Amino acid sequence: MGQINASTDSWLLPLNVSNDFVFNPSPRDFSVEEIPLYDFSGEGEHLIVKVRKKNLSTWELTDLLSNQLGIPRRQIGYAGLKDKHALTTQYLSLPASCEKKLEAFAHDGVTILERTCHANRLRIGHLKGNRFRLRFKKVLGVQKEKIDRVTEWIESHGMPNYFGLQRFGVEGNNWQEGQQIVQGKLRMRDRKMREFLVGSYQSKLFNDWLSRRIRISRLLEEFSAAETERLENLEEGALAGTKEQSHFFKILCGDVMMHYPYGRIFYAEDLPSEAEKFAAADRAPTGLLPGRKVKRALAPARAVEAEYDDEAIRETGSRRYAWVFPSEIHRRYVPEKAHYELSFTLPKGSYATVLVAMLKGKFS
């Protein structure tokens, strides 16, 4: 495995943009609404609770519920972790026996919106996606025009599916502890914390791989496939069939593809056909979260992927979309306040902060 990037500042974005509007995530300017994976049945041994919270992480919310309801936190299910510095709406599952105690639950930052029953407990990933609403400030004429142009590009082409900076902790170095665990240099008794830190390391490897692939795609905008192969130290012919693809993000032979927005995975063999269907948002290439029991890319895509694959990771690996297509994008500009309001829907596991990074031209 090659040397991974030490800094998140080195992650590349598709567009060369610089925009300095203000976005400070807060419940007034940032809201998230979870979209359930399925309709709840109204019957069963689990109580499904729709909760609106502010200035609380999902973990802090589950701690509150655990303490006030007198149940272990492990009995509380949730489909996804929601931002702390936002107004967020999400679903939790509780034992049905908690219903009466829940009536007495009270906290300034939490509102119980709905309750129903269901046969199954909620688990991580049991959601379709999330709706986001953001308000940017100090957006003057030139800043507005830049946001308009980038959001139009995203509507047409989608965006890279990086993990957001919040995945890596306040200091941005959670992945380093995960790497030390994998290398046997750090012992962690808490299983959940170990999985979280190793997951951060897996996420860092994925982001570094995705940045490399974006760099290759950007080079192909300026140079021939043969010239890009030399610049990237790739074997001759590794980028055959990429230059003529219409989408910015170039698919390589041997990439692991997945039908979009969900479906089975398979290898890219017929590049012209796969590239055309990718451009139509019918499927998308995936990147590797290294670990056990996961499908790896084939050559020549594997030559790039292998540099970001730590085969010492014993946790289960997976594939993640390298590229996603935000939907239901709506824009509203308020000139008298210099505010720009933007709403959109992302599939599960994708980060609104990455879309903001696209608009600003940097991760920050």
Side-chain angles (χ1 to χ4, degrees), residues 15 17 39 54 66 86-87 100 104-105 107 110 132 154 174 193 196 206 223 229 242 253 255 294 319 364:
L15 302 177
V17 174
D39 293 330
K54 60 180 179 180
S66 173
L87 182 67
K100 287 188 177 179
F105 175 83
H107 188 276
V110 180
F132 296 90
I154 291 171
N174 283 349
M193 181 56 67
F196 174 77
F206 173 91
F223 301 98
E229 288 165 357
T242 57
C253 190
D255 265 331
V294 61
R319 306 295 306 192
S364 58

Side-chain angles (χ1 to χ4, degrees), residues 106-147:
H107 188 276
D108 288 344
V110 180
T111 303
I112 307 295
L113 300 174
E114 296 176 9
R115 286 180 287 181
T116 189
C117 291
H118 192 62
N120 302 319
R121 175 186 174 183
L122 288 178
R123 298 187 183 278
I124 287 289
H126 283 191
L127 71 160
K128 283 184 180 178
N130 296 284
R131 294 188 186 92
F132 296 90
R133 294 176 179 83
L134 292 70
R135 180 187 292 121
F136 308 136
K137 298 178 179 177
K138 296 186 178 179
V139 180
L140 303 176
V142 65
Q143 284 94 344
K144 175 192 177 297
E145 291 172 5
K146 289 180 181 179
I147 295 174

Side-chain angles (χ1 to χ4, degrees), residues 242-303:
T242 57
K243 179 75 175 179
E244 54 267 34
Q245 294 175 20
S246 63
H247 196 280
F248 162 81
F249 190 86
K250 306 307 182 187
I251 299 171
L252 308 187
C253 190
D255 265 331
V256 181
M257 308 291 292
M258 187 183 298
H259 289 282
Y260 190 88
Y262 42 76
R264 67 179 183 88
I265 61 175
F266 57 95
Y267 289 112
E269 296 177 349
D270 183 347
L271 285 191
S273 175
E274 295 304 327
E276 181 180 346
K277 292 172 182 176
F278 171 42
D282 177 73
R283 59 200 55 193
T286 68
L288 175 69
L289 292 172
R292 298 182 299 109
K293 300 179 180 179
V294 61
K295 190 183 291 290
R296 261 80 178 181
L298 300 178
R302 178 61 185 165

Side-chain angles (χ1 to χ4, degrees), residues 56-123:
L56 289 169
S57 68
T58 299
W59 285 353
E60 289 170 334
L61 173 61
T62 57
D63 280 341
L64 280 171
L65 289 165
S66 173
N67 293 333
Q68 290 203 29
L69 301 178
I71 59 173
R73 193 171 76 172
R74 65 177 179 274
Q75 292 186 3
I76 304 172
Y78 49 86
L81 299 174
K82 294 293 174 285
D83 300 79
K84 177 174 182 175
H85 303 293
L87 182 67
T88 67
T89 302
Q90 71 177 117
Y91 294 85
L92 304 173
S93 64
L94 307 168
S97 58
C98 293
E99 187 163 11
K100 287 188 177 179
K101 289 183 180 179
L102 190 65
E103 293 175 0
F105 175 83
H107 188 276
D108 288 344
V110 180
T111 303
I112 307 295
L113 300 174
E114 296 176 9
R115 286 180 287 181
T116 189
C117 291
H118 192 62
N120 302 319
R121 175 186 174 183
L122 288 178
R123 298 187 183 278

